Amino acid sequence: MPLTYLHSLIGGALIGLASALFLLLDGRIAGVCGIIGGSLRPAGENQLRNLLFLFGLFLGPVIYRLGFGGWPVVHFEASLGILAFAGLLVGFGTRLGSGCTSGHGVCGLARLSRRSIVAVATFLAFGMVTVAVMNRVG
Amino acid sequence: MIDVFARIFVALLAGAIFGFGLSLSGMLDPARVRGFLDIAGHFDPSLAFVLAGAVAVSSAGCLISRRLRHPLLDSMFHLPVKQGIDLPLVAGAAIFGVGWGMSGLCPGPAIASLALGLVPSYVFAATMLFGILVHDNWPPSNWAQRRRLAAKRTLDADANA
């Protein structure tokens, strides 16, 4: 198994650990788009903790850099215009569908939620079709 | 009072572990996420390893949680109560899937990658926040009513992903 796949597996396990900690200690689903939604609702009782979760998320790559001496590698393939449009779809779609890769993917699948299994199958299928179409056209 | 600080610390800690895990897993890289979705082209299976590791550990957390009457720092669990498959679920997942395929970004990596200070991350995060706000406040004429409903649904909404 290539080393990067091992990193992916360990990184994934840490993501699972974060969601297990959040569930067992705070009693909530660690779904990032729901947490962003909650952090934008003024006077919500969870607003401060939602904002701190997001700040922790932001610190993640900083801790990685302290440990490994460099930022994680990223390549953006899409133009800024496409990224801007995609951001709208991701923000609106994840809220309408009550979840994203973390909420439905990591937490929902672990809970064997029927809604999450349907959501994951749907966004994977539409994601695959979108990439295939863009490769044909672009 | 100790619980209040403990819960604040847990939110920060869980976020940081999540963000570090994303960084280590390679999933901050939109090209590798799109590689997983590119089943007919240059397929990259990394995301399957990430999901497998995450669901395995998260499942253990779920199993333990079923044995608890309440989480350690709160009086009750706040979990989604909806059961049925409805149009908003499927339509929302489909819209998200298209945006995810176009960009290779979903909300977690979008927020974490802001730390790298790259312009594309900030453009994406800004329109993503706008999309969330549009959904949560639409239509504007019903704003007040929606907010009252949202307050009532806080339990459900906060448990949402």
Side-chain angles (χ1 to χ4, degrees), chain A residues 119-135:
Chain A
V120 172
T122 305
F123 64 62
L124 275 177
F126 275 80
M128 285 170 177
V129 169
T130 302
V131 170
V133 169
M134 284 178 74
N135 284 349

Side-chain angles (χ1 to χ4, degrees), chain B residues 52-152:
Chain B
V55 172
V57 178
S58 179
S59 297
C62 280
L63 288 176
I64 297 170
S65 78
R66 297 211 171 122
R67 298 184 160 248
L68 300 176
R69 245 176 258 136
H70 60 84
L72 297 180
L73 300 174
D74 200 355
S75 55
M76 61 180 290
F77 283 101
H78 306 276
L79 299 176
V81 288
K82 274 195 206 161
Q83 294 280 339
I85 312 298
D86 50 20
L87 184 62
L89 177 80
V90 177
I95 292 169
F96 164 45
V98 172
W100 192 39
M102 287 171 75
S103 61
L105 283 163
C106 51
I111 298 292
S113 69
L114 292 178
L116 279 65
L118 303 170
V119 172
S121 305
Y122 281 82
V123 169
F124 182 89
T127 58
M128 179 180 81
L129 286 182
F130 185 70
I132 290 172
L133 283 171
V134 166
H135 172 271
D136 289 2
N137 299 300
W138 198 264
S141 56
N142 288 349
W143 209 39
Q145 190 194 348
R146 296 270 308 197
R147 285 184 61 132
R148 275 200 300 279
L149 274 175
K152 254 190 239 166

